[in-house]
Every structure is written in structure tokens, then in C-alpha cells.
């Protein structure tokens, strides 16, 4: 089947057949995902001709080189590159005086300074010190990064003038950064990025993958800071607008993020400073979101750290008798744990203490699996 694939096909690799340890397995039969604690014994190779899937086969790691040799040259090169990037070390992020390593999953805490965010809107608005105190508590609970946002990106949220957004986030960022807490700024606007970075933020988290504001690429490139590129179907005012739909949502999101990484590199942003987020819930229905979760390991082929943001999102309610956002803790923890199992290097959460505890358990299980005789 692989020999007959057209050279112009779209090809993707997903690690499968996970094992707790390579110990005791034949040499060359397992591969490691990044520099973490996850090992696997197979690749699911999928190919598309346009929007039509034309192949899906599972290839054992031990047979990968021989299988790839049967592909047309452009596809063979792409497959080998993906295999290499899946197993490549994810360099740590230098965030001011702190360094965030990716040998185990990290937690990003959500701190919204908005009146209308879907889960916690209004809780921290209008009192910068109280908001900062909430951020300090999140850091003390084990968050590696506090993600501060001043504009809701829920469906049909009103757009916020950049001056108001700056006034919301800067006093909070200044307080957190002055105490040495690593901060990311969750914004689509170049002016807000500039103000937040000047106030002490260390990383930009943009739901439009630096496509909403034409100055964003320049601002991040000039600052030399890390950036998180999220997939959304629209770079316009409503990031949920999706008139085209998806062929295969995992492949389409992968292609989009691959293109945005290339755009960042062309603008002088180092690949070593890029993270990606598949944008769960943004312009995606329940089936799309479930497919993204199940296909999460595919995004390791991009060769950069992967952020997963499933906390309190709509798919949990959809599978839980329409549970409101405030009653989605169990589903949020389940998604974070599943994301860690599939290689996510960071999870973005509202419930920090519980999520950190869940990931400690995941780490303990992974360590025990690797050390088992």
C-alpha cells in the first residue's frame, strides 16, 4: 500500500502502542517521545489525497525504516523527519529567572482579568492585588506559569479595546513578575503584547497563532520571547468562526500549526521558543474535539512542546448531562491526565492544585513503570 501512495499526498505519523518501559524489549523495538517518560512501539501512518484519506497503517518501530523506504521520496523524507522530531529533545524555556523543563508535564494556570470569560469571568476584575494574590496561590500550588488574559475568547464574546485590555492585565503582571512568578500574556493584540512584556511577562500566548494582528510577528520576533501558537479556524474578531469546516480535523489543525511555525521562523522567531496548542473547542464540534484528544500524539511530529487546554471546556458538559463549567472538575482532570499520557508537555488549567496532584500521580506511575524489573 505504501509503495502506491502518490508523492503529493499529505502524510502524518502518530505514536501508538505505548509501553511503560523499553527495558526487556528487543533493541530498536521502542522509541522515546521527546525527552519525557513515554515510550512507544509503533507509528500510525496516515496519508490523504486532498481531503480523502487514502492510507492508514500501523508500522512497528522496528520495521519503520524498511516501511518508509517503500514510500515515494518526498513522503519518505517527511516520515523520517516526523519520526526524528517526535523523539527530539524539547529544549527548556527560559522565562526570566525561571527555567521550565519538559521532561515531565507542566501546569499553566489560567488567570482571567475579564468580566465575561466562560468559567470565571468577573472573579478577578477591578482588583489587581486580589488577582495577583490568586496568581501567587496558583504558583504556590505548583503552576509553572500563570497565563494572564484581559479579553474573553468565548464564542460571541465582545471585542475589547486594547487600552482597556492593557489596563486590566498590566497591574497584575507587574505584581506577579516583581515576585519572580513566570507570566504569560494571553492576547491577540500586538500593543497588549508589548505592554505586558514591558511589565514583566515572559511569554506570549496567542489564540490566533500571531495572525490576528499584523504587527504580532514583529513584536514577538523583536522581543525574542517564547510564544504559544494556538489553532483557531479564524484570525478575525471571532476565533470560533468556521465556515469551511474540516476534512480531517487532526490533519487540518496540524497543517495550520505547521504553517504558523514556518511563518514564525521566517520572521526570525527561533523554533526553540515555540509551543503549539491544537485549540480544543475553538470552532470545533464535539466529534472534532474528541478526535483531537485521541489524535493528540500526532502533534509531537511538529517537534515543539505541546500545550493542551481542555479545562472546563464544552465537550466535558456535552458528555456529562450538560454539566455547567463550575461542575467540570472531574472531566478536566481526566483530560489533563489523558493529555499527559499522549505526550502533552504542558496543560492549561483552572484548577491548579487538583491538576498538579493528578500529574504527580502520572509521573509516579511513569517512573515506576520505567524502573520495574
Amino acid at each position: 500500500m505504501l509503495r502506491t501512495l502518490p508523492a503529493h499526498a499529505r502524510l502524518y505519523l502518530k505514536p501508538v502502542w505505548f509501553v511503560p518501559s523499553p527495558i526487556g524489549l528487543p533493541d530498536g523495538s521502542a522509541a522515546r517521545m521527546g525527552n519525557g517518560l513515554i515510550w512507544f512501539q509503533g507509528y500510525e501512518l496516515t496519508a490523504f489525497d486532498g481531503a480523502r484519506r487514502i492510507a492508514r497503517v500501523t508500522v512497528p518501530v522496528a520495521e519503520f525504516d524498511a516501511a518508509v523506504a517503500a514510500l515515494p521520496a518526498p513522503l519518505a523524507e517527511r516520515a523520517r523527519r516526523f519520526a526524528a522530531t517526535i523523539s527530539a529533545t524539547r529544549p527548556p524555556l527560559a522565562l526570566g529567572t525561571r527555567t521550565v523543563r519538559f521532561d515531565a508535564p507542566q501546569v499553566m494556570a489560567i488567570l482571567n482579568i475579564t468580566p465575561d470569560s466562560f468559567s470565571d469571568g468577573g472573579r478577578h476584575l477591578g482588583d489587581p492585588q486580589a488577582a495577583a494574590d490568586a496568581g501567587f496561590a496558583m504558583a504556590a500550588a505548583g503552576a509553572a506559569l500563570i497565563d494572564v488574559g484581559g479579553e474573553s475568547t468565548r464564542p460571541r464574546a465582545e471585542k475589547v479595546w486594547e487600552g482597556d485590555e492593557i489596563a486590566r492585565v498590566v497591574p497584575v503582571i507587574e505584581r506577579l513578575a516583581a515576585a519572580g512568578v513566570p507570566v504569560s500574556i494571553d492576547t491577540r493584540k500586538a500593543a497588549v503584547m508589548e505592554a505586558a512584556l514591558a511589565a514583566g511577562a515572559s511569554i506570549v500566548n496567542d489564540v490566533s497563532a500571531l495572525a490576528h494582528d499584523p504587527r504580532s510577528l514583529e513584536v514577538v520576533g523583536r522581543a525574542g520571547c517564547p510564544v504559544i501558537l494556538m489553532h483557531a479556524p479564524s484570525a478575525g474578531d471571532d476565533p470560533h468562526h468556521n465556515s469551511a469546516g474540516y476534512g480531517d480535523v487532526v490533519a487540518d489543525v496540524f497543517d495550520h500549526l505547521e504553517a504558523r511555525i514556518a511563518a514564525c521562523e521566517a520572521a526570525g522567531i527561533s523554533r526553540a521558543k515555540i509551543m503549539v496548542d491544537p485549540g480544543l473547542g475553538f470552532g470545533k464540534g464535539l466529534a472534532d474535539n474528541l478526535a483531537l484528544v485521541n489524535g493528540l500524539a500526532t502533534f509531537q511530529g511538529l517537534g515543539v512542546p505541546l500545550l493542551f487546554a481542555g479545562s472546563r471546556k464544552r465537550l466535558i458538559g456535552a458528555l456529562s448531562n450538560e454539566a455547567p463549567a463550575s461542575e467540570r472538575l472531574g472531566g478536566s482532570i481526566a483530560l489533563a491526565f489523558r493529555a499527559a499520557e499522549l505526550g502533552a508537555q504542558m496543560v492549561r488549567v483552572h484548577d491548579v492544585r487538583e491538576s498538579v496532584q493528578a500529574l504527580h500521580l502520572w509521573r509516579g506511575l511513569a517512573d515506576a513503570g520505567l524502573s520495574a524489573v
Side-chain angles (χ1 to χ4, degrees), residues 109-111 113 123-124 128-140 146 172 176 352:
I110 299 167
L111 183 57
I113 320 299
R123 183 177 300 176
H124 304 302
Q129 188 57 55
D133 288 343
F136 292 137
M138 291 171 174
I146 310 299
V172 180
L176 293 171
V352 176

Side-chain angles (χ1 to χ4, degrees), residues 200-217:
S202 302
I203 183 169
V204 169
N205 179 18
D206 185 352
V207 300
S208 77
L210 300 183
H212 176 74
D213 189 320
R215 287 204 308 119
S216 294
L217 280 167

Side-chain angles (χ1 to χ4, degrees), residues 115-368:
D116 56 348
S117 290
F118 81 94
S119 177
D120 56 355
R123 183 177 300 176
H124 304 302
L125 186 67
D127 190 341
Q129 188 57 55
D133 288 343
F136 292 137
M138 291 171 174
L145 186 61
I146 310 299
D147 192 39
V148 177
E151 179 184 40
S152 173
T153 51
R154 64 176 176 79
R156 296 174 295 281
E158 292 186 9
K159 188 174 181 180
V160 177
W161 175 54
E162 62 188 27
D164 289 340
E165 191 174 340
I166 289 169
R168 291 174 181 178
V169 301
V170 162
V172 180
I173 293 171
E174 288 175 338
R175 287 168 168 81
L176 293 171
V181 176
V183 177
S184 60
I185 176 62
D186 178 6
T187 187
R188 301 178 289 172
K189 302 184 183 75
V192 181
M193 295 173 193
E194 289 172 321
L197 292 169
S202 302
I203 183 169
V204 169
N205 179 18
D206 185 352
V207 300
S208 77
L210 300 183
H212 176 74
D213 189 320
R215 287 204 308 119
S216 294
L217 280 167
E218 174 193 349
V219 167
V220 172
R222 186 172 64 247
C225 66
V227 62
I228 300 168
L229 308 174
M230 196 200 81
H231 173 272
S234 172
D237 288 347
D238 180 4
H240 298 268
H241 179 68
N242 188 2
S243 58
Y246 301 101
D248 180 280
V249 66
V250 175
D252 292 350
V253 171
F254 188 102
D255 289 349
H256 177 90
L257 292 173
E258 187 176 31
R260 294 311 299 163
I261 291 171
C264 286
E265 290 187 294
I269 300 170
S270 168
R271 191 182 192 90
K273 294 185 176 182
I274 296 173
M275 295 180 66
V276 293
D277 174 353
L280 199 75
F282 279 74
K284 302 170 182 77
L286 177 60
D288 297 324
N289 287 319
L290 294 174
L292 276 179
V293 175
N294 285 332
L296 203 61
T298 307
F299 297 99
Q300 297 296 330
L302 293 169
V304 298
L306 174 65
L307 172 69
F308 178 80
S311 181
R312 302 186 187 176
K313 287 199 171 174
R314 175 72 184 84
L315 83 160
I316 301 171
L319 297 174
S320 308
N321 297 316
E322 300 303 326
S326 60
E327 297 177 13
R328 297 175 185 172
L329 174 60
S332 299
I333 297 300
L335 282 175
F337 197 93
R338 182 60 174 156
E341 287 184 316
L342 295 175
Q345 281 83 12
M346 184 173 282
V347 293
R348 183 177 183 269
V349 306
H350 296 85
D351 304 290
V352 176
R353 178 176 56 83
E354 296 87 348
S355 301
V356 168
Q357 186 178 79
L359 293 183
H360 283 169
L361 178 62
W362 180 89
R363 174 68 186 263
L365 292 167
D367 283 340

